[in-house]
Amino acid sequence: MPYDPSPFHSCVQAKGGSPIRAAYCWSHARRKLKEVFDRDKSGIAAEGLRRIAEFYAIETEIRGLPPEQRLSARQTQTAPLVAEFGTWLQEQRLQVSKKSRLGEKLNYIHKHWDGLQVFLSDGRVEIDSNNVENLQRPIALGRKNALFAGHDEGGASWGRIASLIQTAKLNGVEPNAYLTSTLQKIAAGHPQSRIDELLPWNFQKSS
């Protein structure tokens, strides 16, 4: 799925199952307030950022724990803080013009409030989509870098190398070690009839 800087959408009905719930990203919500704070030094935005930081402090402590333990910690520690944030959010929306920059950001968070709470009811769900975005970012950067390939054949070669690098990563193989070993074998006369032996999933570090 391509990166969307505002990945909020409606829930859809899964065939033969429960409705799919969209888990919205607190990092995006935080970013809205950060934009206002950086530009206007808004005290309201600063308070919102402080409150969101409390959620993330808890997430740091429970990162890597089994889903059931994360869920328990979120329900006992994070849920009350999120509820307080919700009350605070509504209070600020009544005081700030909806047409102001801050008002638009607060309304943005309010609009997606239900989805922002999904992580409180499912320990498998992350508080934000940063991990997914970090996986997508190298692909986007690679595409941008490929613009400097020079010509069509250069672009095709770039695509082949990029595919090999990403395939190596998916198979838990360090790309530089894989490419070095593979190129050395090709230079040493590895037969084309045994090309399958050089594919990333067949790479042996000892070789």
Side-chain angles (χ1 to χ4, degrees), residues 30-94:
R30 180 188 181 281
R31 193 174 304 161
K32 296 297 180 181
L33 296 176
K34 187 69 164 54
E35 290 171 359
V36 175
F37 178 78
D38 287 344
R39 179 166 178 169
D40 304 331
K41 303 305 178 185
S42 163
I44 293 176
E47 175 62 14
L49 292 172
R50 183 193 69 78
R51 290 173 178 267
I52 294 174
E54 293 181 334
F55 311 161
Y56 274 89
I58 296 171
E59 287 299 305
T60 298
E61 294 178 358
I62 64 176
R63 184 172 294 119
L65 295 179
E68 58 273 12
Q69 293 184 34
R70 296 210 302 175
L71 177 60
S72 177
R74 287 171 176 173
Q75 290 180 338
T76 58
Q77 301 178 52
T78 312
L81 297 176
V82 173
E84 292 175 4
F85 184 98
T87 300
W88 172 85
L89 176 67
Q90 299 311 320
E91 292 173 349
Q92 307 315 309
R93 291 181 67 240
L94 293 175

Side-chain angles (χ1 to χ4, degrees), residues 133-164:
E133 292 180 27
N134 289 337
L135 290 174
Q136 294 173 335
R137 190 168 291 112
I139 298 174
L141 290 175
R143 180 176 60 186
K144 183 177 180 180
N145 291 336
L147 296 175
F148 299 94
H151 49 76
D152 290 347
E153 184 56 34
S157 297
W158 182 281
R160 297 186 190 102
I161 294 173
S163 296
L164 286 172

Side-chain angles (χ1 to χ4, degrees), residues 13-20:
Q13 179 71 40
K15 286 187 177 181
S18 302
I20 296 174

